[in-house]
Amino acid sequence: MKISTLSTVLSALTTLALATPIVGTVQDLDIRATNGASCRKKGSDRGMQYNLDTWGSWDDDWGRGFLDNLRGRCGTISSWGFWYTGDQGHASFVIAFTSDGHHCVEDALWLASQATGAIWGVECYYG
């Protein structure tokens, strides 16, 4: 290996080692911390009925982003409803029984909240 090539490689490695990691701003972290949802489900003759409570800046579109992601992940959505009580959103809908079960709902929540900080760890419980 030539000295000039070795020098170039070492220079590049030094630049990478000294680079500042890319992180979100404190404001981004504050916004993410306010995003959340809770999920309840129960069986019905039409499929699985879901009721969600949402909060944070991710749901400020009357659930349109969430509904788009639900359709993409879960298929046909029926009996869709979304409304607000104060600054908390509520969604109610039915999904025909699928092999993926409720994980498609959790995935749709995660995807819909990406723009302001993904919601992690939401599980849909029977109730």
Side-chain angles (χ1 to χ4, degrees), residues 110-122:
W110 187 82
L111 289 168
S113 63
Q114 282 292 306
T116 59
I119 298 172
W120 292 86
V122 175

Side-chain angles (χ1 to χ4, degrees), residues 33-94:
T34 64
N35 284 345
S38 64
C39 179
R40 294 165 316 284
K41 63 182 179 175
K42 64 181 177 181
S44 74
D45 58 344
R46 297 176 296 147
M48 190 65 71
Q49 169 75 40
Y50 288 86
N51 295 293
L52 284 88
D53 297 320
T54 67
W55 55 90
S57 57
W58 77 274
D59 72 348
D60 290 347
D61 66 350
W62 287 88
R64 283 188 301 272
F66 180 45
L67 178 58
D68 289 344
N69 283 291
L70 279 172
R71 288 178 174 148
R73 292 287 173 173
C74 305
T76 302
I77 305 299
S78 60
S79 303
W80 169 258
F82 193 95
W83 66 98
Y84 290 99
T85 304
D87 59 358
Q88 187 172 27
H90 308 280
S92 179
F93 53 92
V94 174

